[in-house]
Amino acid sequence: MNTENSVMVYIQQNGGRAAEVSLELVCKARDLADKLGVTVSASLFCEKAGEEVKRLAGFGADRVYLAEDPRLKLYTPIPYSKLMIQVISQYKPQIVLFGATTEGRDLAPRVASFLKVGLTADCTDLRIGDHTQKETEYKDILYQIRPAFGGNIIATIVCPEKKPQMATVREGVMRMGEPDISRKAETVKVAAALGKDDFPTEIISQVLEEKTVNLKGAQIIVSGGFGVGSRDNFALIRELAQTLGAEVGGSRAAVDAGFIGKEHQVGQTGTTVRPKLYIACGISGAIQHRAGMDNSARIIAINSDPEAPIFSIAHYGIVGDLNEVIPRMIKAYKARV
């Protein structure tokens, strides 16, 4: 088998079922691989894969490196790191992508440290381009793009001298396309030499908390920022959201101030969303917030500051006191329905 011929995605799984962020990355890997003229590979470690290889193929995977073992039912760092290092060392992909989840953020640095390669965390975009460094030109390098310096700038990071180029990517920032059920993928069984010493810890039970907020799937989101003023004032944001049948979101500043829970946070350090309508109330529009919602189909911004950065990406802007504007919006909407 040829080496250095793929864009590889680590597949985070639960019960053998791939996490949504991993499917998003397979779709993005397909796009990157097509630009490079290479294949897409996926690394899946689980108790039993079932039909998951077919599912990964539908989203764009050409080859799946599969290790099945009852002891791999739940993620633990040592065996998963060992398997990922083994697969990368043997098949030498150009690029390796992980979801920027709790699991991905634990696994990716372990693998990068062992392989002595670079790792860019929490990317919001990935592209292919050229790079010149010290009179050396590197072709088809991975541009790893993410907010930096507290979200004040967008940085493009490259690791041209060593491969694989590795990155973790935020959930929701890559579009997940429709699967092509006619696609097929080659399955490569991974001979995992895992001994008792590779499992020094045991997970006795796993408790999964049901999500009460579905920002990623929402068609309409009404978000409040620090400009809302207080936790009590967020009642107005909730009232507008209830009127429109929307989810309630918040900026990081609002969450840090205690106005709303972190599960509602939109942005680089929260949830990336793409609703049909996003209403930003009292949100200034810092880069890290815009990175999480600027792909919304329609954006309405309400802010008392006419120079607020949020107006630069808004389709419609209302300069005014949200305590006056929102009640009028609610009244106007109710009058129409």
Side-chain angles (χ1 to χ4, degrees):
M1 184 180 295
N2 294 329
T3 58
E4 294 190 348
N5 67 340
S6 75
V7 178
M8 181 180 289
V9 178
Y10 166 71
I11 305 300
Q12 182 174 328
Q13 58 84 29
N14 185 25
R17 187 79 170 172
E20 193 168 295
V21 65
S22 297
L23 299 179
E24 293 168 359
L25 290 182
V26 170
C27 293
K28 183 60 180 180
R30 179 75 272 159
D31 177 57
L32 297 174
D34 288 344
K35 287 181 171 64
L36 292 168
V38 301
T39 60
V40 174
S41 61
S43 295
L44 175 60
F45 315 136
C46 58
E47 180 181 27
K48 191 170 181 61
E51 298 294 307
E52 208 59 14
V53 171
K54 291 182 180 179
R55 187 162 174 248
L56 293 172
F59 283 99
D62 300 302
R63 186 179 302 116
V64 177
Y65 299 112
L66 177 63
E68 294 177 304
D69 188 309
R71 297 172 296 178
L72 298 173
K73 181 178 181 179
L74 299 175
Y75 170 80
T76 51
I78 294 176
Y80 272 68
S81 298
K82 186 173 182 178
L83 287 169
M84 198 64 191
I85 291 166
Q86 176 184 330
V87 170
I88 292 172
S89 299
Q90 184 173 355
Y91 298 107
K92 295 181 170 54
Q94 293 184 27
I95 296 167
V96 182
L97 305 177
F98 301 79
T101 60
T102 302
E103 183 174 316
R105 288 169 176 156
D106 182 70
L107 177 62
R110 295 172 185 269
V111 175
S113 178
F114 184 90
L115 297 174
K116 295 181 173 59
V117 299
L119 171 67
T120 302
D122 288 353
C123 292
T124 57
D125 194 9
L126 300 170
R127 300 174 190 170
I128 300 297
D130 300 332
H131 176 68
T132 301
Q133 180 174 301
K134 295 180 181 178
E135 299 182 354
T136 301
E137 187 175 4
Y138 298 91
K139 293 286 189 181
D140 295 333
I141 294 299
L142 180 66
Y143 289 177
Q144 300 154 76
I145 300 167
R146 55 154 297 165
F149 293 102
N152 292 314
I153 65 169
I154 296 294
T156 299
I157 300 168
V158 295
C159 303
E161 296 180 341
K162 284 194 174 184
K163 291 184 179 179
Q165 302 159 94
M166 290 177 49
T168 65
V169 182
R170 294 285 301 179
E171 296 181 79
V173 299
M174 303 302 174
R175 291 187 180 275
M176 184 167 66
E178 291 296 320
D180 179 358
I181 60 174
S182 67
R183 292 191 84 262
K184 298 185 183 301
E186 174 190 2
T187 301
V188 178
K189 293 285 187 177
V190 177
L194 297 173
K196 185 177 179 180
D197 292 343
D198 294 316
F199 295 88
T201 59
E202 180 183 358
I203 298 176
I204 303 301
S205 65
Q206 183 184 42
V207 178
L208 299 177
E209 184 178 346
E210 192 73 25
K211 279 189 174 182
T212 58
V213 182
N214 183 20
L215 290 172
K216 284 180 67 175
Q219 297 299 304
I220 305 173
I221 297 174
V222 181
S223 279
F226 188 76
V228 173
S230 70
R231 189 179 185 89
D232 290 341
N233 286 353
F234 245 86
L236 198 56
I237 305 299
R238 296 183 186 278
E239 184 181 354
L240 178 58
Q242 185 176 9
T243 301
L244 300 177
E247 286 281 6
V248 176
S251 68
R252 178 175 176 174
V255 171
D256 289 348
F259 297 169
I260 194 169
K262 186 171 174 55
E263 67 274 13
H264 292 271
Q265 185 174 323
V266 174
Q268 166 69 11
T269 52
T271 302
T272 299
V273 298
R274 291 189 179 90
K276 291 182 178 178
L277 175 62
Y278 188 89
I279 304 177
C281 309
I283 294 175
S284 63
I287 287 178
Q288 67 181 102
H289 185 79
R290 301 203 307 267
M293 47 67 72
D294 60 0
N295 284 321
S296 302
R298 284 289 180 271
I299 300 170
I300 298 175
I302 305 170
N303 202 293
S304 59
D305 178 9
E307 302 299 322
I310 192 68
F311 287 124
S312 67
I313 61 167
H315 298 91
Y316 304 98
I318 301 173
V319 178
D321 184 345
L322 60 87
N323 294 294
E324 296 178 4
V325 173
I326 292 178
R328 292 186 181 184
M329 291 178 69
I330 294 171
K331 183 178 180 180
Y333 182 82
K334 288 182 176 179
R336 291 186 61 184
V337 296

